[in-house]
């Protein structure tokens, strides 16, 4: 059972880990704290892919010799050399006396290996301190490293009566500023943000994360199975095709899309990703998309609708995670478009197992998807 000091120091390590939000993928977010004589003598976190790991950053910043100190780290230290050297070797060389770990490495090939290595070198090890919080922080990494495909999350905002728009193709503000700001935070975390062609036509979204005055843009996917957008003579009027991040945008189509349409788009400078499965085979379509994104080192996709894209995701049981924002007051009525109107049976086919957040005017439920 971890003591109060263990919880305090691991909580600090978690705070540090979150500073890497959106920057470390495909690596996990990790924080580390070095404690000696009841004092924190060093801190560190993994800043970005390819940069030193949290343990190395922490050891380099030590204000005094780390010999005999206790290292708190949110994730099991790496035991393979990789691009930045094995953290287990650096810990041993620093003569750390004890390592306290939040969560073990989810990779079955590495899980528990660091404990065996460090214990074999006379370093005391303990794991499971704030384990749930440490694991939850890296839900994307945990999923992708085990399944070798990107985690796909579906995000939607609904009125109190479950509607996403007053009518199909009609932009309808659902949530207030606090909830919209939260959605930006999640966009910042995910490696790719996707939306259907219908959403593009209706809303002309940016699909960027705008936080604290800055703008971040990961990969942007416009889902258009038949490449109908190629018939639009002026696609450059849409933000995703004309802004400074346009090179990050791709249209995703299926194997039946007209090749002439694809050629027309590519000649105009718009990239196309062709999936070898037809959209009608939804499970295969989404599985291939997730695997191909993972092969590009993009470990997560945040799908923002609209209703037909949500229906396809549901048909293929492709969503691994979901974000449901719900207005507490707005009612759009029976004639409005429901989030799941195009799903067989017209009802949400899954439950969201996870957490909730209250934004005053709106409510969020988010977590792992379990299909009914």
């Amino acid at each position: 059972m971890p003591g109060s000091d263990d919880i305090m120091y691991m909580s600090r390590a978690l705070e540090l880990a979150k500073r890497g939000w959106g920057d470390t993928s495909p690596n996990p977010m990790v924080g580390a704290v070095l404690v000696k004589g009841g004092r924190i003598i060093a801190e560190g976190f993994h800043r970005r892919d390819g940069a030193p790991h949290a343990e190395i950053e922490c050891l380099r910043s030590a204000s005094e010799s780390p010999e005999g100190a206790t290292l708190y780290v949110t994730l099991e230290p790496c035991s393979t050399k990789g691009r930045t050297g094995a953290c287990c070797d650096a810990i041993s060389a620093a003569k750390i006396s004890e390592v306290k770990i939040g969560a073990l490495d989810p990779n079955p090939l590495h899980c528990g290996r660091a404990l065996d290595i460090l214990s074999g070198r006379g370093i005391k090890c303990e794991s499971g301190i704030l384990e749930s919080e440490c694991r939850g922080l890296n839900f994307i990494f945990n999923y992708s490293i085990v399944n070798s495909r990107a985690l796909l999350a579906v995000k939607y905002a609904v009125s109190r009566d479950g509607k996403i728009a007053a009518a199909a193709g009609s932009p309808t503000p659902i949530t207030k500023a606090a909830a919209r700001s939260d959605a930006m935070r999640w966009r910042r975390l995910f490696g790719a943000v996707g939306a259907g062609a219908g959403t593009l036509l209706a809303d002309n979204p940016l699909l960027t994360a705008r936080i604290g005055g800055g703008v971040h843009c990961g990969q942007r996917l416009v889902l258009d199975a038949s490449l109908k957008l190629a018939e639009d003579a002026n696609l450059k009027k849409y933000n995703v095709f004309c802004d400074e991040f346009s090179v990050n945008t791709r249209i995703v189509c299926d194997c039946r899309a007209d090749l002439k349409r694809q050629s027309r788009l590519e000649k105009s400078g718009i990239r196309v990703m062709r999936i070898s499965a037809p959209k009608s085979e939804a499970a295969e379509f989404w599985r291939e998309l997730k695997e191909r994104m993972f092969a590009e080192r993009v470990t997560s996709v945040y799908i923002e609708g609209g209703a037909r894209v949500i229906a396809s995701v549901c048909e293929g049981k492709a969503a691994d995670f979901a974000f449901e924002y719900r207005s507490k007051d707005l009612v759009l009525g029976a004639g409005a478009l429901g989030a799941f109107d195009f799903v067989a049976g017209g009802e949400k086919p899954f439950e969201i197992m996870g957490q909730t957040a209250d934004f005053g005017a709106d409510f969020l439920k988010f977590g792992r998807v379990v299909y009914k």
Side-chain angles (χ1 to χ4, degrees):
M1 190 76 176
S4 58
D5 285 350
D6 289 338
I7 292 173
M8 177 179 67
Y9 293 131
M10 192 61 75
S11 294
R12 176 57 183 163
L14 271 168
E15 289 177 5
L16 293 165
K18 291 174 184 177
R19 293 185 183 180
W21 189 271
D23 290 326
T24 65
S25 182
N27 293 339
M29 291 172 277
V30 184
V33 172
L34 194 61
V35 178
K36 188 173 182 179
R39 297 172 291 109
I40 293 178
I41 64 168
E43 296 181 336
F45 68 96
H46 185 43
R47 296 175 183 274
R48 63 186 180 277
D49 176 34
H53 289 183
E55 299 92 325
I56 305 301
E57 287 273 4
C58 186
L59 291 170
R60 287 177 179 174
S61 71
S63 60
E64 60 185 88
S65 170
E67 184 174 355
T70 297
L71 178 67
Y72 290 83
V73 60
T74 56
L75 182 67
E76 180 179 358
C78 66
S79 53
T80 53
K81 295 191 184 302
R83 288 176 291 170
T84 57
C87 289
C88 282
D89 293 342
I91 291 168
S92 300
K95 298 182 180 180
I96 301 295
S97 65
E98 187 171 5
V99 177
K100 300 201 175 189
I101 297 165
L104 296 180
D105 192 326
N107 187 338
L109 298 177
H110 299 157
C111 184
R113 185 178 175 189
L115 276 71
D116 292 338
I117 291 172
L118 294 172
S119 296
R121 296 174 182 176
I123 299 171
K124 185 179 178 182
C125 294
E126 181 182 351
S127 64
I129 301 168
L130 297 184
E131 181 177 10
S132 178
E133 292 88 340
C134 291
R135 282 186 55 81
L137 179 64
N138 288 308
F139 68 95
I140 289 173
F141 173 77
N142 297 342
Y143 175 92
S144 63
I145 198 68
V146 171
N147 294 284
S148 297
R149 58 178 177 262
L151 178 145
L152 188 144
V154 61
K155 172 260 181 182
Y156 51 95
V158 295
S159 61
R160 195 175 75 185
D161 53 340
K163 309 297 183 178
I164 62 171
S170 173
T172 307
I174 301 291
T175 56
K176 303 299 184 185
R180 291 197 297 270
S181 178
D182 184 69
M184 288 290 169
R185 188 174 70 91
W186 290 108
R187 275 190 189 178
R188 181 69 180 85
L189 180 65
F190 279 73
V193 179
T199 297
L200 183 77
L201 298 174
D203 297 344
N204 192 14
L206 289 163
L207 301 183
T208 58
R210 301 176 294 282
I211 302 174
V215 181
H216 171 83
C217 183
Q219 293 295 307
R220 297 188 294 200
L221 306 176
V222 178
L223 300 150
D224 182 14
S226 62
L227 294 180
K228 289 182 180 178
L229 288 173
E231 302 303 313
D232 191 321
N234 184 24
L235 283 178
K236 297 296 184 178
K237 66 179 176 284
Y238 297 108
N239 291 312
V240 295
F241 298 126
C242 71
D243 67 10
E244 62 185 301
F245 306 111
S246 59
V247 68
N248 292 1
T249 303
R250 278 179 284 183
I251 297 179
V252 180
C253 69
D254 75 1
C255 59
R256 295 173 179 169
D258 190 321
L259 289 171
K260 291 182 180 179
R261 288 180 174 179
Q262 179 173 343
S263 177
R264 192 179 312 150
L265 288 165
E266 291 174 338
K267 284 179 180 177
S268 68
I270 295 172
R271 296 190 297 152
V272 176
M273 175 190 284
R274 180 176 288 265
I275 303 296
S276 63
K279 182 184 175 183
S280 58
E281 296 178 13
E284 287 302 304
F285 178 91
W286 291 105
R287 179 193 58 77
E288 181 178 332
L289 176 64
K290 291 159 73 172
E291 289 178 354
R292 288 177 62 177
M293 296 308 293
F294 181 81
E296 296 179 12
R297 304 182 82 241
V298 176
T299 57
S300 55
V301 181
Y302 190 63
I303 297 292
E304 296 197 353
R308 292 192 182 277
V309 172
I310 291 173
S312 177
V313 169
C314 291
E315 181 185 350
K317 294 185 176 180
D320 309 295
F321 219 79
F323 295 80
E324 181 181 277
Y325 293 88
R326 184 176 293 270
S327 171
K328 295 179 181 178
D329 303 312
L330 180 65
V331 174
L332 292 178
L337 178 66
F340 300 95
D341 278 3
F342 297 116
V343 175
E347 296 182 355
K348 183 169 68 176
F350 56 77
E351 297 292 340
I352 302 173
M353 312 299 290
Q355 303 175 51
T356 59
D358 194 317
F359 300 104
D362 307 293
F363 186 80
L364 168 66
K365 187 170 186 180
F366 67 104
R368 182 172 55 89
V369 163
V370 176
Y371 288 92
K372 299 176 182 177

